[in-house]
Amino acid sequence: MSHLSSPPEKHKGERKGHRLPRGSERGSSSQDKDRSVTVGSSVPMSAGGKGSRTNCSRSTPQKVPNRLISEKSPYLLQHAYNPVDWYPWGQEAFNKARKENKPIFLSVGYSTCHWCHMMEEESFQNEEIGRLLSEDFVSVKVDREERPDVDKAYMTFVQATSSGGGWPMSVWLTPSLQPFVGGTYFPPEDGLTRVGFRTVLMRIREQWTQNKSPLLKTSQRVTAALLARSEISMGDRQLPPSTATTSSRCFQQLDGSYDEEYGGFAEAPKFPTPVILSFLFSYWLSHRLTQDGSRAQQMALHTLKMMANGGIRDHVGQGFHRYSTDRQWHVPHFEKMLYDQAQLTVAYSQAFQISGDEFYSEVAKGILQYVARNLSHRSGGFYSAEDGDSPPERGMRPKEGAFYVWTVKEVQQLLPEPVLGATEPLTSGQLLTKHYGLTEAGNVSPGQDPKGELQGQNVLTVRYSLELTAARFGLEVEAVRTLLNSGLEKLFQAQKHRPKPHLDSKMLAAWNGLMVSGFAVTGAVLGQERLISCAVSGARFLKQHMFDVASGRLMRTCYAGSGGTVEHSNPPCWGFLEDYAFVVRGLLDLYEASQESTWLEWALRLQDTQDRIFWDSRGGGYFCSEAELGAGLPLRLKDDQDGAEPSANSVSAHNLLRLHGFTGHKDWMHKCVCLLAAFSERMRRVPVALPEMVRALSAHQQTLKQIVICGDPQAKDTKALLQCVHSIYIPNKVLILADGDPSSFLSRQLPFLRTLRRLEDQATAYVCENQACSMPITKPCELRKLLHQ
């Protein structure tokens, strides 16, 4: 392999590693800090010449559209006017490649990906490159969020044969879909130390026509090796690994990479990675009386606080950006992803449960405020993402972060009012400038801004506590809080006049499931019915627009149409494992928040469908995709990484445990054991790669608590007991409302519920473990005491 460097990575690049989960390990080596493209040794490359970035706009409607114009995906539509004969992933493209004996060029990305935009502007809008792609290749464009199976299969190849992976992903395939060359972003022309896309295309064309046989043999050999390496199976193992050893090793690996000063688990770039924070909270609960337990809690709370104070959080419009390009959480990559918002609101809600510090609950509420305002369809669904790039002014070329950054001059003009009572002359603008670290020259270092797009601009990041800022100017803390909040609101109103970033209005079942969890969990923890109502609306949207009643199957995608309508692709894109796993989790969380058994019943039905479509009866665990849907792909995988999103198998392990707790069905417990056994070697060897699954392993071996509240759902005493449970961090539990109806769904599932009675006609709680229940409890304070034991 030849490794030729290209520009530093500033897009959502992630790769598999053995130190931290994918998504959090970026920047852990020199290779990560300087993005690399890799090309197979059978395709020799030369370097030379100089590349330049064009100033084309992202779409040129005056040109003739290609066949992507008929697609629904916002990402594919961004390429609909390229001078490239693009095909969507499908049989038409494959047939053409076979008939004309041409290699397939597969380009995978997503609509809010910064470097995907770059490659489109530089290469895919280039007429000469477009002609090469159209004449000598069958060019296929894939939205990774629509087809995660395609993305994962070929990303596995790219990561195995290069120094990393990320998006845009560029892979060359044989007509039978076997990969033989892979890379990520390519600049259009050769540089002194990097190969250009035009050169890559010409060399591959030459090798395909003159030296095809070695290419095909290499492809077959690599694919066979990947198949063997990606095998995840129980083998002879009947039981999962030891919880104590696995959890302790996972904690030690995280502790060893922890950033004491700024929080997080890498130098730079830094990703939020909520699965790690969730593991640490769970580890703390199991080890509260030990030094390691206290350490785990401190690591998670400190990381959440530093993230919330940093520039990765949008202090003006709320929500979190994709990741921080530096160790301090200061300068983010500005795109906002739905799955980050969903998981982080749960993490901050849990931090509030554990610490009682309202700082964390305020952050959680801010995230949900952003989602409700910017990422919500009127019918209840949730959009996928907002771009990090936007025009600084209308008609200008988009720049990264333009919507979110500020100059000192802008802030001073917007906030000229004098602050009364300060020990020195002070305006509201100067107060905000000081507190959030703005400078006249801009607070973004050139090293964090390789294209110079943020020169003179500032990213708001909390530099001082409210107490220090107040002391600096001789003001009361509450006065400073009020002034800063008022100033941020004025910036927010001014921001409305800027050109908005592109909205990816695609809706994915998986991410909507995560967001249902976000609203449900936070609403339950904070006792806010309006947030639970948003979760209900999201679940209703899923059932109405993304569920096929006849087959019991979920659809992967739907799209915002004109006038608030919802559209689907034809034929529909059916759900993948993560769609089922994340939606089932959302429905279980929603049942516990709302106590409406209809959501629990639907979760059971979806789990049955998931088991039927994805379960590996031979090796244990779930495949990520249907066998039929992925026909022709070189790999059918079981994802073994908890990264920016948790692995669907990790989430499924939790779901199976909870469903067993809600129903007593032994088949789900058996499946959970088989799943954990299948991944036992991975957890034993690199537990830090699967912190969410290690958490499930711990929950399985500790057994879940069944917390049963007997009472009228509308009565105050019932609600008081329910709120008591929601206010406490208890990750390994199921919460059941027994309303006294022996014919109810849950009473039919769990006959022992019929034996539990209200005490003196009051709402009564029981805590059950290992088929034994506590004495009846009627007072929230007594229930709290028992649950804290």
Side-chain angles (χ1 to χ4, degrees), residues 139-315:
S139 297
V140 176
K141 179 62 73 172
V142 167
D143 184 334
R144 68 170 293 261
E145 295 166 357
E146 282 190 332
R147 290 300 302 261
D149 58 332
V150 175
D151 178 60
K152 287 173 183 173
Y154 293 111
M155 186 64 75
T156 301
F157 169 79
V158 171
Q159 290 168 329
T161 58
S162 74
S163 59
W167 297 276
M169 178 171 65
S170 305
V171 190
W172 284 263
L173 319 175
T174 69
S176 59
L177 307 185
Q178 302 296 308
F180 62 90
V181 171
T184 51
Y185 163 85
F186 289 90
E189 306 293 346
D190 297 341
L192 292 176
T193 59
R194 63 191 189 187
V195 68
F197 189 56
R198 187 196 316 269
T199 299
V200 173
L201 291 174
M202 290 190 295
R203 291 292 184 267
I204 292 176
R205 177 183 65 183
E206 178 183 330
Q207 292 296 313
W208 183 259
T209 56
Q210 299 179 14
N211 205 24
K212 187 190 302 179
S213 182
L215 280 182
L216 298 179
K217 287 179 180 177
T218 300
S219 173
Q220 290 167 358
R221 187 177 68 252
V222 171
T223 301
L226 290 176
L227 274 169
R229 201 176 80 176
S230 62
E231 175 89 12
I232 293 173
S233 175
M234 290 184 293
D236 296 329
R237 290 180 292 271
Q238 299 299 314
L239 295 173
S242 158
T243 294
T245 302
T246 308
S247 294
S248 177
R249 190 166 184 213
C250 187
F251 168 74
Q252 295 299 334
Q253 288 176 335
L254 289 170
D255 190 26
S257 63
Y258 179 64
D259 184 336
E260 298 283 354
E261 188 172 2
Y262 296 104
F265 301 89
E267 286 295 312
K270 280 185 174 173
F271 290 76
T273 324
V275 287
I276 290 177
L277 305 172
S278 182
F279 167 80
L280 290 172
F281 283 147
S282 183
Y283 189 83
W284 159 77
L285 190 65
S286 302
H287 300 77
R288 275 178 293 181
L289 303 180
T290 70
Q291 187 174 353
D292 282 353
S294 298
R295 170 74 168 165
Q297 184 202 59
Q298 178 265 328
M299 287 161 62
L301 292 177
H302 179 57
T303 296
L304 285 167
K305 185 152 281 189
M306 296 304 291
M307 282 167 46
N309 284 333
I312 191 174
R313 179 185 175 202
D314 180 359
H315 295 276

Side-chain angles (χ1 to χ4, degrees), residues 365-624:
K365 287 188 283 188
I367 295 171
L368 295 182
Q369 181 184 40
Y370 161 72
V371 172
R373 182 182 65 241
N374 287 47
L375 295 180
S376 293
H377 188 275
R378 66 172 67 175
S379 298
F382 304 106
Y383 302 132
S384 293
E386 280 193 309
D387 208 330
D389 296 13
S390 60
E393 295 179 22
R394 301 193 188 283
M396 293 181 67
R397 180 185 174 280
K399 291 185 177 181
E400 186 172 15
F403 188 75
Y404 300 104
V405 293
W406 303 87
T407 64
V408 167
K409 182 179 179 181
E410 283 178 298
V411 172
Q412 301 289 21
Q413 289 176 340
L414 288 167
L415 305 172
E417 311 85 2
V419 176
L420 302 178
T423 53
E424 61 186 76
L426 182 71
T427 66
S428 294
Q430 289 169 330
L431 179 70
L432 189 142
T433 294
K434 182 73 173 178
H435 187 74
Y436 287 102
L438 279 66
T439 68
E440 293 282 354
N443 65 9
V444 180
S445 69
Q448 299 303 114
D449 182 27
K451 301 189 300 297
E453 293 182 326
L454 300 174
Q455 191 172 0
Q457 301 288 338
N458 291 274
V459 177
L460 270 63
T461 182
V462 176
R463 290 297 170 90
Y464 308 99
S465 67
L466 288 172
E467 289 76 12
L468 279 174
T469 299
R472 166 73 175 77
F473 297 108
L475 298 167
E476 295 293 325
V477 171
E478 283 308 309
V480 170
R481 189 194 311 273
T482 300
L483 285 166
L484 290 175
N485 287 340
S486 173
L488 292 174
E489 176 61 25
K490 288 179 180 177
L491 296 189
F492 176 70
Q493 295 302 324
Q495 196 180 52
K496 288 181 178 179
H497 299 287
R498 295 177 173 182
K500 290 186 177 180
H502 157 73
L503 172 70
D504 187 327
S505 58
K506 174 176 74 272
M507 289 169 274
L508 300 173
W511 298 359
N512 272 251
L514 289 175
M515 202 65 243
V516 168
S517 284
F519 274 105
V521 171
T522 306
V525 169
L526 303 183
Q528 295 197 0
E529 287 294 329
R530 63 182 182 83
L531 299 181
I532 298 173
S533 294
C534 289
V536 170
S537 295
R540 286 176 178 160
F541 181 91
L542 281 162
K543 197 163 190 179
Q544 180 179 352
H545 295 289
M546 307 189 79
F547 178 61
D548 180 62
V549 177
S551 66
R553 297 167 76 192
L554 284 171
M555 298 175 200
R556 169 71 173 173
T557 59
C558 65
Y559 309 85
S562 58
T565 59
V566 177
E567 298 178 350
H568 296 86
S569 56
N570 187 21
C573 182
W574 295 109
F576 296 90
L577 175 63
E578 64 184 42
D579 296 299
Y580 288 84
F582 295 176
V583 170
V584 168
R585 171 191 269 188
L587 295 174
L588 297 181
D589 288 338
L590 181 53
Y591 165 73
E592 293 196 354
S594 68
Q595 297 300 319
E596 294 179 15
S597 63
T598 180
W599 304 121
L600 184 56
E601 293 181 56
W602 190 30
L604 266 65
R605 183 177 179 188
L606 288 178
Q607 188 65 49
D608 282 333
T609 305
Q610 175 182 321
D611 293 347
R612 174 169 52 86
I613 296 175
F614 302 103
W615 180 253
D616 179 4
S617 57
R618 182 182 61 84
Y622 295 96
F623 289 110
C624 293

Side-chain angles (χ1 to χ4, degrees), residues 8-15 22-23 25-26 35 108-116 143-145 151 155 159 165-169 184 269 271-272 321-323 325 333-340 384-385 400 508 511 556 643-645:
E9 176 189 358
K10 280 198 70 182
H11 67 98
K12 181 186 165 187
E14 302 169 349
R15 69 174 171 88
R22 186 177 67 224
E25 86 291 307
R26 297 301 299 170
R35 184 159 187 74
V108 181
Y110 58 104
S111 80
T112 58
C113 161
H114 174 75
W115 284 94
C116 300
D143 184 334
R144 68 170 293 261
E145 295 166 357
D151 178 60
M155 186 64 75
Q159 290 168 329
W167 297 276
M169 178 171 65
T184 51
F271 290 76
H321 299 297
R322 180 65 195 94
Y323 64 79
T325 62
H333 178 47
F334 290 90
E335 70 187 88
K336 291 181 178 178
M337 309 300 296
L338 181 67
Y339 60 78
D340 282 325
S384 293
E400 186 172 15
L508 300 173
W511 298 359
R556 169 71 173 173
E645 303 164 63

